[in-house]
C-alpha cells in the first residue's frame, strides 16, 4: 500500500474542505464590513456562528496532518512562509474571538473595534492564505532538509495575484452562503456581492491559470499548454478540468447574474464550491507529486510507514465519524437564519 | 544574554503556549462542570442547575473561543519555529497530535455549536449529549497532548535511523511513556481545580457585592467541595509525578529541589536562592532529611554537580516555578477546606475575610498551571526530547529578526485579546444571577416551553424564602 500517496490524498481533502468551509465563513466575515446596520451584521454572523469552530478545525488537521504525515515538508514549508503564516494566525485569532466579543462589548467604540477586527481579520487571513498559495505554487528554495530562501520570498507579483484571487473567491463563497441562509434585504445585498465577486473570480481564475502554466517547465509539460503552442496529445488527458470549470462558471453566471429568480437558493453555493473544487484539482494536476514544489515529493517527505499506518487506522475510523456528525450539525442548523437566533445574553 | 533566534524562539513558544494552556485548563474543568450542572438539572428538574448552566456556558463560549484560536497557533509553531525538531521527531510525535485532532478537536468544535446554538433545535437529552461530547472531547485532547509531551520528557519505544530521525518501535510504549499516567492525572486534576477556584471567586464577588442568589450558594458549595476533595489528591498526583521524574529525569528534580551535592539523604528547601555560578543554594531555609519520607527507598539522591554544566536545566527558574506551584496549590487547599467549613456553618453566603481572599484566589489555579508547566518544561532543558535531542539542535533556520517581529505581534495581539476576554468574562461572572438580562430579544429567542424558556420565569424555590 502506498501510504504517502494515501496521506497526500487525505490531507489534500482536508485542506480542500477547509477552503470550502472556512472559505465561506471568511467571506461572510469580509462582507460583514458592508452590512447596513448592526442587526444585519448579527444575522450574517449568525449564519456561521454554530459552525465556524468546526470549519477552522480542518485547518488544524491540515497543519497537524502535514506535521504527522509529512514532517519534512512541514519542516520546510513553515519556515519558508514564516511571516504570512504567523500574520494569518494572528488574523484568525482576532476574528475568532470577535465572534464572541462583539456581542459582549458595551461601548460603541469597542463594539466598532471588534466589528472591525472581525472583518479585517477575515480579510487578512484570506489575503495571507492567498500569498502562501502563490508562493507555494512558485516553488520553495531548499538545501538538504531545510528551507534555504529569504524571509520575503513569498512576496511576488504572482503571489499578490493569487492573494487577490483567494480574497475574491472567498467573497463569492460567502455571498453565495448568505444567499442560501438569509432572506429579504440581506439576501438582496448578498446577491449583489455575488455578482461582483463572480466577475472578479472569473477574471482571477483565468489569470492565475495562465500564469501558473508559465511558472515552471514541469507544469507546462504536464498540461501540454504554453504561450506558444498547445500539445493536444497531453492536453486531452487533463482537458476535463478546465472544461468542467468553465461549465460551472457559466452555470453560476446564469444563476447569479442572468436568471437569479429561477435558481434555488442552495445552488449558487454548491456551484461556487464546485468551481473551487475544480480549481483545486487543476492545482493538484500541476504540482503532483511535489508537496514542496519543486524540491521534494510526497515520498521524500513522508513519515515512517508505521507512523502513517497508525494514523491511517485512526483516520479510517474517525474521518467518517467526523463527517457524519459534521453533516448532522449542518443539517441541524439548516434553513434561513432569523433575527435573534443566537444564545447571547 | 544575546537575543539570537534560539532564545527568541524559546521565548515565543513559552509565551504562546503559556497563554494557550490557561484556556484549555479552564475549559476542561468548565465543560465537566457544565455537564454536571445540566445532568443534575435533567435529573432533579431544579431550576438552579439550569441557571448555573446558562450562566457559565456564556463564559465557556468566550474561553473556548480563545482556546481554539490560540491552539491553532500551536499546531503551526512546531513547524515555524522548531522545524528541525518536527523533521526529526515527526514520525513519533506527529501521529499523537494527529490523533488529537481526529478524536478530540472535531468533536469539541462541532458539538460546541449544538451546545451554544442548538437549544431550540434539539431535545433536552440530545443537548445534554452535546455538552457531554464537548466535555469528553476536552479530556481526550488532554490525553493526547500529555502523551506527546510525556514522550518528550521520558522517551521510550523508539529508535533512531541512519539519518538521525526518530521512529517508533512500539506505539503503546510511546503513547504510555513512563511519565504519562502521572502527568495526565496531574493535569486533569489541575484543570478541575483551576475551574473550581474561578467558580469560587465568582461566587465570592457576588457575595461581597451583595448579589447572592440561590445559584451563587450552589456554585460556591460545589467549588468548595471540589477544591477540598481534589487538592489532597492533587498533592498526591504531584508527588507521584515527582517520583517518576526522580527516576527518569534526576537533573530536573535536583533543580526543583535546589540540590547541588549528591547524598543519600536530602532535605526540603522551603526558601533559597540557587546560584548557578557558585553551584550553591544561598539563604536557604531547609527541613533536613525529608527524603526518607518523600523518596523512600531511593539509594542516592543526585545533586546537580553530578551533571556537567551544559546538561543542567536553568536552576533558578525551575526551583522557583516549582515553589510557586506548590504554594498556589496549598493556598487553594486552604480555600477549599475553609469554604467547606463555612458551608457547614451556613456562612458561605455571608461576606467575610474568606470572600476577600477567595476573589484573588480565582487566579491561583492559573498560577499553579503555568508555573507547573514552567517547572516541567524548563526542567526538561537543555533538551526537547529528554537526553536525546537538544533544544539548540531543534530550532528552525529562521532569522532572529523574523522571530523577534512575530513575538512582538503575538504579544500585542494576545495582550488585546486577553484583556478584552478577561474583562468580558469577569463582567458576566460578577453580574450574578438575579439580574440576568431578560429583555425583549431573549423573549423572542426562547419559544415558550423550550428549555431556555424556563429561565425567563423568575425561579423561586423554597430555599429563596429562608
Amino acid at each position: 500500500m502506498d501510504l504517502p500517496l494515501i496521506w497526500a490524498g487525505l490531507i489534500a481533502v482536508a485542506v480542500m474542505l477547509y477552503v470550502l468551509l472556512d472559505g465561506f465563513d471568511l467571506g461572510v466575515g469580509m462582507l460583514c464590513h458592508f452590512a447596513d446596520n448592526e442587526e444585519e451584521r448579527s444575522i450574517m454572523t449568525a449564519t456561521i456562528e454554530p459552525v465556524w469552530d468546526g470549519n477552522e478545525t480542518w485547518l488544524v488537521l491540515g497543519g497537524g496532518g502535514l506535521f504527522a504525515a509529512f514532517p519534512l515538508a512541514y519542516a520546510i514549508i513553515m519556515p519558508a512562509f514564516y511571516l504570512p503564516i504567523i500574520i494569518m494566525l494572528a488574523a484568525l485569532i482576532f476574528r475568532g474571538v470577535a465572534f464572541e466579543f462583539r456581542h459582549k462589548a458595551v461601548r460603541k467604540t469597542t463594539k466598532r473595534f471588534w466589528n472591525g477586527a472581525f472583518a479585517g481579520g477575515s480579510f487578512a487571513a484570506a489575503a495571507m492564505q492567498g500569498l502562501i498559495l502563490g508562493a507555494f505554487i512558485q516553488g520553495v528554495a531548499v538545501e538538504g532538509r531545510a528551507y534555504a530562501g529569504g524571509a520575503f520570498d513569498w512576496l511576488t507579483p504572482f503571489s499578490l495575484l493569487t492573494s487577490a484571487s483567494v480574497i475574491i473567491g472567498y467573497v463569492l463563497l460567502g455571498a453565495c452562503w448568505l444567499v442560501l441562509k438569509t432572506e429579504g434585504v440581506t439576501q438582496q445585498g448578498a446577491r449583489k456581492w455575488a455578482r461582483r465577486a463572480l466577475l472578479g473570480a472569473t477574471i482571477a481564475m483565468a489569470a492565475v491559470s495562465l500564469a501558473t502554466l508559465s511558472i515552471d517547465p514541469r507544469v507546462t509539460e504536464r498540461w501540454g499548454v504554453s504561450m506558444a503552442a498547445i500539445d493536444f496529445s497531453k492536453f486531452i488527458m487533463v482537458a476535463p478540468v478546465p472544461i468542467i470549470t468553465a461549465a460551472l462558471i457559466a452555470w453560476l453566471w446564469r444563476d447569479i447574474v442572468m436568471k437569479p429568480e429561477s435558481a434555488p437558493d442552495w445552488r449558487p453555493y454548491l456551484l461556487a464550491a464546485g468551481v473551487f473544487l475544480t480549481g483545486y484539482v487543476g492545482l493538484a494536476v500541476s504540482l503532483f507529486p511535489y508537496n514542496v514544489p519543486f524540491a521534494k515529493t510526497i515520498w521524500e517527505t513522508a513519515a515512517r510507514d508505521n507512523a502513517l499506518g497508525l494514523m491511517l487506522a485512526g483516520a479510517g475510523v474517525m474521518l467518517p465519524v467526523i463527517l457524519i456528525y459534521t453533516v448532522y450539525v449542518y443539517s441541524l442548523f439548516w434553513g434561513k437564519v432569523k433575527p435573534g437566533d443566537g444564545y447571547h445574553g | 544574554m544575546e537575543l539570537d533566534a534560539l532564545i527568541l524562539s524559546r521565548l515565543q513558544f513559552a509565551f504562546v503556549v503559556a497563554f494557550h494552556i490557561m484556556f484549555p485548563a479552564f475549559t476542561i474543568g468548565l465543560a465537566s462542570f457544565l455537564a454536571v450542572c445540566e445532568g443534575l438539572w435533567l435529573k432533579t428538574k431544579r431550576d438552579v442547575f439550569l441557571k448555573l448552566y446558562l450562566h457559565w456556558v456564556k463564559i465557556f463560549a468566550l474561553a473556548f473561543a480563545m482556546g481554539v484560536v490560540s491552539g491553532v497557533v500551536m499546531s503551526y509553531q512546531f513547524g515555524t519555529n522548531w522545524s528541525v525538531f518536527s523533521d526529526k521527531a515527526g514520525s513519533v510525535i506527529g501521529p499523537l497530535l494527529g490523533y488529537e485532532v481526529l478524536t478530540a478537536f472535531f468533536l469539541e468544535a462541532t458539538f460546541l455549536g449544538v451546545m451554544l446554538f442548538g437549544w431550540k433545535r434539539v431535545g433536552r437529552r440530545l443537548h445534554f449529549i452535546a455538552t457531554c461530547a464537548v466535555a469528553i472531547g476536552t479530556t481526550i485532547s488532554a490525553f493526547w497532548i500529555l502523551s506527546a509531551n510525556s514522550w518528550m520528557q521520558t522517551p521510550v519505544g523508539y529508535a533512531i535511523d541512519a539519518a538521525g530521525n526518530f521512529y517508533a518501535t512500539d506505539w503503546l510504549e510511546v503513547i504510555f511513556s513512563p511519565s504519562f499516567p502521572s502527568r495526565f492525572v496531574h493535569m486533569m486534576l489541575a484543570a478541575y481545580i483551576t475551574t473550581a477556584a474561578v467558580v469560587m471567586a465568582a461566587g465570592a464577588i457576588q457575595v461581597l457585592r451583595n448579589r447572592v442568589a440561590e445559584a451563587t450558594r450552589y456554585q460556591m458549595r460545589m467549588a468548595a467541595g471540589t477544591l477540598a476533595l481534589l487538592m489532597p489528591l492533587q498533592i498526591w498526583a504531584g508527588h507521584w509525578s515527582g517520583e517518576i521524574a526522580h527516576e527518569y529525569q534526576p537533573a530536573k528534580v535536583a533543580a526543583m529541589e535546589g540540590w547541588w551535592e549528591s547524598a543519600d539523604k536530602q532535605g526540603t528547601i522551603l526558601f533559597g536562592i540557587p546560584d548557578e555560578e557558585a553551584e550553591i543554594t544561598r539563604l536557604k531555609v531547609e527541613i533536613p532529611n525529608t527524603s526518607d519520607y518523600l523518596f523512600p527507598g531511593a539509594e542516592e539522591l543526585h545533586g546537580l554537580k553530578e551533571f556537567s554544566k551544559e546538561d543542567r536545566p536553568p536552576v533558578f527558574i525551575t526551583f522557583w516555578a516549582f515553589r510557586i506551584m506548590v504554594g498556589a496549590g496549598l493556598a487553594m487547599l486552604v480555600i477549599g477546606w475553609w469554604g467547606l467549613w463555612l458551608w457547614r456553618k451556613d456562612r458561605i453566603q455571608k461576606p467575610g475575610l474568606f470572600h476577600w481572599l477567595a476573589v484573588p484566589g480565582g487566579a491561583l489555579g492559573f498560577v499553579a498551571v503555568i508555573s507547573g508547566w514552567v517547572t516541567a518544561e524548563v526542567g526538561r532543558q537543555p533538551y526537547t526530547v529528554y537526553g536525546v535531542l537538544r533544544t539548540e539542535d531543534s530550532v528552525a533556520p529562521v532569522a532572529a529578526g523574523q522571530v523577534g517581529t512575530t513575538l512582538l505581534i503575538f504579544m500585542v495581539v494576545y495582550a488585546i485579546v486577553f484583556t478584552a476576554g478577561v474583562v468580558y468574562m469577569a463582567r458576566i461572572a460578577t453580574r450574578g444571577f438575579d439580574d440576568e438580562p431578560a429583555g425583549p430579544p431573549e423573549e423572542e429567542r426562547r419559544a415558550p416551553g423550550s428549555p431556555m424558556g424556563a429561565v425567563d420565569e423568575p425561579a423561586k424555590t423554597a430555599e429563596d424564602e429562608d
Side-chain angles (χ1 to χ4, degrees):
Chain A
M1 206 159 38
D2 191 342
L3 287 168
L5 185 64
I6 294 172
W7 267 102
L10 283 174
I11 290 171
V13 169
V15 173
M16 183 66 229
L17 280 169
Y18 171 75
V19 169
L20 292 185
L21 297 176
D22 214 31
F24 76 70
D25 81 49
L26 289 170
V28 171
M30 288 185 263
L31 289 173
C32 271
H33 181 66
F34 303 100
D36 284 335
N37 51 48
E38 202 50 36
E39 194 194 5
E40 182 166 55
R41 191 171 288 121
S42 290
I43 291 176
M44 288 162 81
T45 55
T47 67
I48 50 180
E49 267 170 343
V51 293
W52 77 271
D53 255 332
N55 294 347
E56 211 153 271
T57 307
W58 292 100
L59 183 66
V60 181
L61 183 61
L66 190 66
F67 178 23
F70 301 101
L72 180 58
Y74 178 79
I76 295 169
I77 289 169
M78 297 299 153
F81 306 141
Y82 191 82
L83 291 173
I85 283 176
I86 300 223
I87 296 169
M88 171 189 83
L89 294 172
L92 289 175
I93 289 171
F94 263 118
R95 79 177 284 278
V97 296
F99 269 107
E100 294 293 333
F101 288 2
R102 53 180 291 279
H103 291 283
K104 309 290 186 232
V106 178
R107 272 180 302 171
K108 246 194 180 127
T109 44
T110 38
K111 198 167 187 95
R112 203 177 304 145
F113 175 80
W114 289 117
N115 280 336
F118 185 57
S122 304
F123 175 82
M128 292 304 129
Q129 288 174 9
L131 284 172
I132 294 166
L133 172 69
F136 183 78
I137 299 172
Q138 279 193 303
V140 179
V142 177
E143 254 171 48
R145 296 176 77 84
Y147 175 60
F152 293 94
D153 280 16
W154 45 270
L155 192 60
T156 64
F158 179 71
S159 72
L160 288 172
L161 172 66
T162 52
S163 183
S165 309
V166 167
I167 293 167
I168 295 167
Y170 284 178
V171 169
L172 178 66
L173 281 176
C176 291
W177 177 254
L178 289 175
V179 168
L180 166 61
K181 295 294 286 184
T182 64
E183 48 201 353
V185 206
T186 313
Q187 195 189 36
Q188 290 305 318
R191 285 189 196 281
K192 183 184 75 188
W193 278 102
R195 282 196 296 275
R196 291 175 183 169
L198 180 59
L199 176 65
T202 310
I203 297 167
M205 196 120 189
V208 171
S209 302
L210 289 175
T212 304
L213 287 174
S214 45
I215 288 257
D216 190 281
R218 277 163 284 201
V219 180
T220 320
E221 171 75 21
R222 178 75 42 86
W223 289 90
V225 179
S226 70
M227 292 300 167
I230 297 179
D231 179 346
F232 280 99
S233 65
K234 280 176 186 152
F235 182 64
I236 201 82
M237 303 294 293
V238 288
V241 180
I243 291 171
I244 294 172
T245 312
L248 287 172
I249 289 179
W251 199 354
L252 258 179
W253 275 94
R254 184 199 164 278
D255 274 5
I256 293 176
V257 182
M258 276 130 60
K259 291 181 178 162
E261 65 287 344
S262 71
D265 287 349
W266 51 264
R267 209 159 67 193
Y269 176 74
L270 208 64
L271 290 171
V275 174
F276 264 84
L277 189 65
T278 54
Y280 194 77
V281 170
L283 211 61
V285 168
S286 302
L287 300 180
F288 183 83
Y290 295 98
N291 59 1
V292 184
F294 295 88
K296 300 276 179 196
T297 66
I298 54 175
W299 297 284
E300 289 169 308
T301 53
R304 281 262 170 167
D305 266 4
N306 74 344
L308 295 177
L310 177 74
M311 283 194 298
L312 191 60
V317 177
M318 289 314 298
L319 275 180
V321 174
I322 290 166
L323 287 172
I324 287 169
Y325 65 60
T326 302
V327 169
Y328 165 73
V329 168
Y330 268 86
S331 66
L332 202 61
F333 293 99
W334 186 254
K336 303 285 183 188
V337 166
K338 304 216 163 46
D341 236 358
Y343 77 103
H344 298 281
Chain B
M1 189 163 49
E2 192 193 346
L3 285 181
D4 56 10
L6 175 62
I7 193 77
L8 285 167
S9 280
R10 289 173 66 183
L11 282 173
Q12 181 172 121
F13 197 86
F15 179 70
V16 293
V17 81
F19 181 87
H20 174 64
I21 189 63
M22 289 193 279
F23 300 100
F26 182 43
T27 50
I28 289 168
L30 200 50
S32 297
F33 178 63
L34 288 169
V36 168
C37 287
E38 193 174 12
L40 284 172
W41 173 60
L42 288 176
K43 200 164 160 51
T44 65
K45 310 274 186 294
R46 296 191 50 184
D47 282 337
V48 63
F49 293 118
L50 179 63
K51 272 198 158 189
L52 278 172
Y53 183 93
L54 293 174
H55 177 74
W56 282 100
V57 79
K58 290 176 198 154
I59 294 171
F60 181 78
L62 285 168
F64 197 89
M66 290 166 83
V68 167
V69 293
S70 59
V72 178
V73 173
M74 297 319 303
S75 73
Y76 285 83
Q77 277 277 318
F78 292 112
T80 50
N81 291 22
W82 303 102
S83 63
V84 179
F85 164 80
S86 304
D87 179 25
K88 288 189 186 298
S91 286
V92 178
I93 289 281
L96 307 184
L97 301 181
Y99 266 83
E100 184 181 13
V101 182
L102 290 169
T103 57
F105 288 167
F106 279 106
L107 193 68
E108 308 173 58
T110 309
F111 283 97
L112 179 76
V114 181
M115 194 175 156
L116 296 181
F117 302 97
W119 275 113
K120 281 202 295 189
R121 295 177 187 259
V122 296
R124 293 176 179 197
R125 193 178 298 264
L126 210 54
H127 191 272
F128 178 55
I129 290 174
T131 306
C132 291
V134 173
I136 292 167
T138 59
T139 309
I140 298 174
S141 167
F143 174 94
W144 289 111
I145 202 69
L146 262 298
S147 172
N149 184 272
S150 296
W151 183 81
M152 291 163 68
Q153 302 279 355
T154 50
V156 287
Y158 72 94
I160 296 176
D161 68 13
N165 291 333
F166 294 82
Y167 63 94
T169 51
D170 183 336
W171 281 111
L172 281 177
E173 276 191 31
V174 168
I175 295 167
F176 297 95
S177 69
S179 62
F180 170 70
S182 61
R183 299 179 76 241
F184 177 58
V185 171
H186 199 36
M187 183 63 211
M188 288 306 294
L189 288 172
Y192 296 140
I193 288 167
T194 300
T195 306
V198 173
V199 172
M200 176 62 90
I205 290 187
Q206 289 163 23
V207 170
L208 291 173
R209 299 177 70 185
N210 209 10
R211 293 190 171 191
V212 183
E214 189 196 14
T216 312
R217 281 200 299 275
Y218 268 79
Q219 80 175 31
M220 291 183 81
R221 291 171 187 175
M222 289 167 90
T226 308
L227 286 174
L229 183 74
L230 295 189
M231 258 325 297
L233 278 177
Q234 179 68 320
I235 291 169
W236 162 79
H239 181 65
W240 177 22
S241 193
E243 280 181 334
I244 304 277
H246 178 255
E247 189 177 343
Y248 291 89
Q249 299 174 299
K252 181 199 267 186
V253 173
M256 285 160 68
E257 300 282 1
W259 297 335
W260 292 95
E261 310 289 342
S262 296
D264 46 1
K265 280 181 196 297
Q266 299 271 22
T268 296
I269 300 174
L270 300 177
F271 181 91
I273 298 172
D275 183 334
E276 295 177 46
E277 285 299 306
E279 303 191 311
I280 191 170
T281 302
R282 296 184 191 282
L283 299 173
K284 65 181 173 186
V285 181
E286 184 176 12
I287 308 173
N289 299 333
T290 49
S291 61
D292 286 347
Y293 311 100
L294 292 176
F295 299 100
E299 302 255 313
E300 196 188 19
L301 296 147
H302 306 278
L304 283 158
K305 284 188 183 170
E306 218 170 282
F307 309 91
S308 62
K309 276 199 170 171
E310 67 273 13
D311 292 340
R312 292 178 198 165
V315 183
F316 186 86
I317 300 177
T318 313
F319 179 88
W320 272 106
F322 177 59
R323 267 150 201 73
I324 293 170
M325 174 190 75
V326 173
L330 292 175
M332 286 188 287
L333 179 69
V334 171
I335 292 178
W337 283 355
W338 192 353
L340 214 56
W341 183 72
L342 289 175
W343 174 6
R344 249 189 66 124
K345 298 271 167 196
D346 200 26
R347 271 170 33 203
I348 206 162
Q349 68 276 16
K350 294 179 187 124
L353 178 64
F354 171 80
H355 301 84
W356 285 104
L357 294 177
V359 172
L364 285 174
F366 299 106
V367 171
V369 164
I370 290 179
S371 54
W373 274 101
V374 168
T375 311
E377 300 296 278
V378 175
R380 191 192 62 217
Q381 300 304 321
Y383 301 100
T384 46
V385 181
Y386 194 74
V388 192
L389 182 63
R390 283 176 178 271
T391 309
E392 63 193 4
D393 300 328
S394 305
V395 72
V398 180
Q402 288 187 74
V403 187
T405 310
T406 54
L407 175 59
L408 219 64
I409 293 176
F410 277 123
M411 287 167 94
V412 171
V413 170
Y414 281 8
I416 297 172
V417 168
F418 183 78
T419 312
V422 168
V423 166
Y424 296 142
M425 282 191 256
R427 201 179 279 163
I428 300 170
T430 56
R431 193 166 61 199
F433 296 87
D434 279 349
D435 56 352
E436 291 279 85
E442 293 285 317
E443 282 163 23
E444 286 263 307
R445 262 168 242 184
R446 295 174 191 159
S450 77
M452 304 258 301
V455 293
D456 288 335
E457 320 292 336
K460 266 212 163 183
T461 63
E463 275 194 77
D464 278 324
E465 256 123 33
D466 58 40

